[in-house]
Amino acid sequence: CSVAAVRLKLIRKDILERLSDVSLQIEDVALRQRVTVRYVQRLFESEGTTFSDFLRTARLDLAFRLLQERGVVADTIASIAYDTGFSDISVFNRAFRRRFDATPSEIRAKALIG
């Protein structure tokens, strides 16, 4: 396991622990990890992705899980979007549909049916 692979794992862990932070930026992660922004970018590029793509995918995956777990008695879809770090519900809805080929409402409805 290379130093770069270990560093990327730590960076991913850092991001995953802060998904709900709407203002999470690559600069913050780099500062906490004591590396440069460019180094963080290169680590993600070596995996064929970007910081932003990883962050968005992780947030969408979390939202998907929450929609399946919480059911109708819990939070609104908007509050789940905000809780997972999206500051704009329409951006969340578009990204969610692109990722899962379904709307958040459809995922919630499927979870309720079983």
Side-chain angles (χ1 to χ4, degrees):
C1 203
S2 73
V3 172
V6 171
R7 177 63 72 183
L8 183 57
K9 185 176 181 177
L10 290 171
I11 289 169
R12 285 183 172 155
K13 183 178 183 291
D14 184 313
I15 294 166
L16 293 173
E17 290 171 351
R18 293 170 175 79
L19 287 179
S20 63
D21 180 357
V22 175
S23 63
L24 182 62
Q25 300 288 320
I26 193 171
E27 293 83 4
D28 304 324
V29 175
L31 186 62
R32 278 192 300 276
Q33 296 295 317
R34 297 189 171 119
V35 296
T36 65
V37 168
R38 183 66 191 127
Y39 184 67
V40 174
Q41 291 169 332
R42 282 197 313 266
L43 289 173
F44 280 106
E45 287 168 5
S46 74
E47 298 280 309
T49 190
T50 65
F51 171 86
S52 297
D53 287 342
F54 177 81
L55 178 59
R56 181 177 42 258
T57 298
R59 285 176 168 167
L60 289 169
D61 289 347
L62 176 58
F64 185 91
R65 288 192 305 274
L66 293 174
L67 287 165
Q68 288 186 313
E69 291 171 8
R70 293 184 178 181
V72 291
V73 294
D75 297 339
T76 65
I77 289 171
S79 68
I80 289 173
Y82 298 130
D83 289 348
T84 56
F86 287 89
S87 59
D88 184 307
I89 190 69
S90 61
V91 170
F92 168 74
N93 283 325
R94 279 192 304 276
F96 193 95
R97 188 172 188 98
R98 273 193 308 272
R99 172 112 171 96
F100 300 110
D101 199 29
T103 66
S105 299
E106 290 168 343
I107 297 303
R108 177 172 269 177
K110 286 179 188 173
L112 293 174
I113 293 169

